C-alpha cells in the first residue's frame, strides 16, 4: 500500500475541495467562531497529511528513520507497510526531503511573520510614547490598557502583545456616544482574549510561504474576516448589535468605506449589514454536530496512515 501517496492525494483533495465548500456556505457568518474552528481543522488536516507522508517516506528510504518510527510498534506492523520489500522505490527519499524542506520553509515563514509583528509592535509602542509622552512626575507604565491620543481621525485599534492595549484617538471619543465606546472596548478585548493575533500570524505565514496553494490564501482571507465578526458578536452580546453597528459607522464613515469605490476596509459595510440583519444563530444541536465533524477532519489522515498497521494486529 502506497501510504505516502495516499496521504498526499488526500491532502490535495482536502486543500482543493474544502475552500470551495466553505466559500459557498453562509453559516460561517452566522457562527464565525465555528467557522474559524472549521478552517483550522481543515488546514491542520492538510499539514498532517504532509507530515505523515514525510515520516513514512523517510522510513521507507532510510533504515535509521524506520527504526525510530516503528520502534514502539509490535512485530509484523513494519511488514504490513511493505517497507522491507523495497516496494517504495528510489522516490521515497526525494519525497521525504521535499516535504521536509516544505516543513522547514513553513517554520521559517512563521518565524519571519512573528519577527515582523514584533517589530511593528515596537514601532507602534515607540510612536505611542512619542505622541503620548508622560508628564513630569507621572509614573511610566507600558502596561496601560487604554491609551488616548490627540488626533483628528476617529480611530480605535488593538495593539497586541503580552499586555494588549487599546489605542483611541480624541476624535473617536468625540464621535462615539454613550455605550458605543464600551462596545468598541469590548470588541478589542474580544480579540485579545481569543488571541486572534496568533491565528492571523499563522494564516499569513502559510499564505506567504505557499502563495500558489489556494487553501492557505483562502484561510488567511477568511481568518481576517471571521475574527472581526467574532469580535463583533462578543461586543453585541453585551451591548447589542445596533450599538456595535453604530460604533462601526461612526468610526469609518469619513474613510470612504461606504462609498462605491473599494477600499482596504471594504468589509466594514458588510459587517454593519450583518449586525443589523440579525440572522439567528444555528441550533445548538447543529453546532455540536458541526464541531464534532470538524474534529474528525484531522482524524482522517491518521486513519489512512494507521490502517495497514492496525490490520496487521488482527
Amino acid at each position: 500500500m502506497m501510504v505516502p501517496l495516499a496521504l498526499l492525494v488526500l491532502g490535495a483533495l482536502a486543500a482543493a475541495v474544502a475552500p470551495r465548500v466553505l466559500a459557498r456556505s453562509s453559516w460561517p457568518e452566522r457562527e464565525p467562531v465555528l467557522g474559524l474552528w472549521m478552517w483550522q481543522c481543515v488546514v491542520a488536516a492538510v499539514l498532517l497529511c504532509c507530515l505523515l507522508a514525510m515520516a513514512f517516506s523517510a522510513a521507507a528510504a532510510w533504515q535509521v528513520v524506520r527504526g525510530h518510527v516503528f520502534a514502539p510498534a509490535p512485530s509484523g506492523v513494519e511488514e504490513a507497510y511493505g517497507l522491507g520489500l523495497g516496494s517504495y522505490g528510489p522516490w521515497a527519499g526525494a519525497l521525504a526531503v521535499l516535504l521536509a524542506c516544505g516543513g522547514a520553509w513553513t517554520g521559517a515563514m512563521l518565524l519571519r511573520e512573528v519577527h515582523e509583528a514584533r517589530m511593528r509592535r515596537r514601532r507602534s509602542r515607540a510612536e505611542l510614547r512619542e505622541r503620548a509622552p508622560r508628564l513630569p512626575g507621572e509614573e511610566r507604565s507600558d502596561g496601560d490598557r487604554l491609551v488616548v491620543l490627540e488626533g483628528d481621525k476617529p480611530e480605535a485599534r488593538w495593539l497586541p502583545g503580552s499586555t494588549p492595549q487599546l489605542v483611541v484617538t480624541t476624535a473617536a471619543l468625540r464621535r462615539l456616544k454613550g455605550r458605543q465606546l464600551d462596545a468598541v472596548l469590548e470588541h478589542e478585548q474580544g480579540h485579545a482574549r481569543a488571541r486572534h493575533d496568533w491565528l492571523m500570524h499563522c494564516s499569513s505565514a502559510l499564505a506567504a510561504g505557499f502563495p500558489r496553494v489556494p487553501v492557505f490564501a483562502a484561510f488567511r482571507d477568511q481568518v481576517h474576516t471571521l475574527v472581526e465578526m467574532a469580535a463583533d458578536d462578543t461586543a453585541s452580546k453585551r451591548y447589542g448589535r445596533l450599538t456595535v453597528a453604530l460604533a462601526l459607522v461612526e468610526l469609518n464613515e469619513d474613510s470612504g468605506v461606504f462609498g462605491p469605490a473599494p477600499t482596504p476596509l471594504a468589509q466594514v459595510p458588510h459587517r454593519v449589514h450583518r449586525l443589523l440583519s440579525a440572522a439567528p444563530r444555528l441550533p445548538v444541536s447543529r453546532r455540536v454536530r458541526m464541531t464534532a465533524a470538524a474534529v474528525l477532519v484531522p482524524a482522517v489522515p491518521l486513519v489512512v496512515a494507521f490502517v495497514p498497521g492496525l490490520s496487521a494486529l488482527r
Side-chain angles (χ1 to χ4, degrees):
M1 180 179 180
M2 307 296 286
V3 177
L5 291 181
L7 288 168
L8 291 178
V9 170
L10 178 63
L13 185 63
V17 174
R20 297 180 181 180
V21 173
L22 292 175
R24 295 175 182 175
S25 303
S26 59
W27 64 263
E29 291 190 4
R30 298 169 62 183
E31 297 290 343
V33 175
L34 182 57
L36 288 170
W37 174 245
M38 184 70 75
W39 271 104
Q40 291 176 75
C41 290
V42 169
V43 172
V46 174
L47 296 177
L48 188 59
C49 285
C50 297
L51 179 63
L52 291 172
M54 179 189 69
F56 283 109
S57 300
W62 299 293
Q63 178 64 40
V64 176
V65 178
R66 189 184 314 163
H68 286 84
V69 171
F70 292 94
S75 59
V77 173
E78 183 176 335
E79 288 75 10
Y81 289 90
L83 300 178
L85 302 177
S87 59
Y88 281 80
W91 55 266
L95 179 60
V97 171
L98 180 63
L99 292 173
C101 291
W105 181 251
T106 302
M109 290 295 101
L110 180 58
L111 290 176
R112 189 188 72 170
E113 179 68 25
V114 172
H115 174 72
E116 291 180 352
R118 288 181 176 176
M119 295 300 294
R120 289 193 297 268
R121 284 201 301 269
R122 289 177 182 175
R123 288 194 295 267
S124 298
R125 294 185 187 278
E127 180 184 359
L128 289 180
R129 287 192 294 268
E130 181 179 352
R131 296 180 60 185
R134 298 290 173 176
L135 297 176
E138 185 178 4
E139 294 183 0
R140 187 176 190 83
S141 174
D142 292 331
D144 292 341
R145 297 285 183 173
L146 178 63
V147 178
V148 179
L149 297 178
E150 289 284 347
D152 297 330
K153 179 181 177 182
E155 184 180 3
R157 68 179 187 271
W158 170 52
L159 187 60
S162 57
T163 304
Q165 291 179 312
L166 178 63
V167 181
V168 182
T169 61
T170 53
L173 294 178
R174 288 192 295 268
R175 288 226 173 172
L176 296 175
K177 303 175 182 63
R179 289 155 54 94
Q180 294 175 8
L181 178 59
D182 295 330
V184 171
L185 293 174
E186 185 65 23
H187 173 101
E188 301 301 339
Q189 288 174 356
H191 283 309
R193 287 193 296 266
R195 298 311 304 265
H196 285 158
D197 54 326
W198 280 103
L199 190 55
M200 289 189 288
H201 291 334
C202 293
S203 62
S204 298
L206 288 171
F210 304 94
R212 297 184 180 276
V213 181
V215 66
F216 295 146
F219 179 48
R220 176 197 57 195
D221 296 339
Q222 289 297 310
V223 162
H224 283 68
T225 299
L226 292 176
V227 295
E228 295 298 334
M229 293 183 179
D232 288 342
D233 289 348
T234 299
S236 63
K237 289 177 182 178
R238 187 170 182 179
Y239 298 101
R241 289 174 174 265
L242 180 59
T243 302
V244 179
L246 291 175
L248 284 174
V249 172
E250 292 292 341
L251 288 175
N252 296 281
E253 66 177 348
D254 293 337
S255 59
V257 298
F258 297 101
T263 67
L265 298 176
Q267 61 173 318
V268 174
H270 181 68
R271 288 167 55 195
V272 173
H273 175 74
R274 172 181 174 271
L275 288 167
L276 296 178
S277 62
R281 297 191 63 183
L282 298 177
V284 176
S285 58
R286 185 179 177 186
R287 276 182 276 159
V288 172
R289 291 196 302 269
M290 294 178 69
T291 302
V295 174
L296 292 177
V297 172
V300 175
L302 296 175
V303 173
V304 173
F306 295 119
V307 160
L310 294 175
S311 62
L313 299 178
R314 294 180 179 179

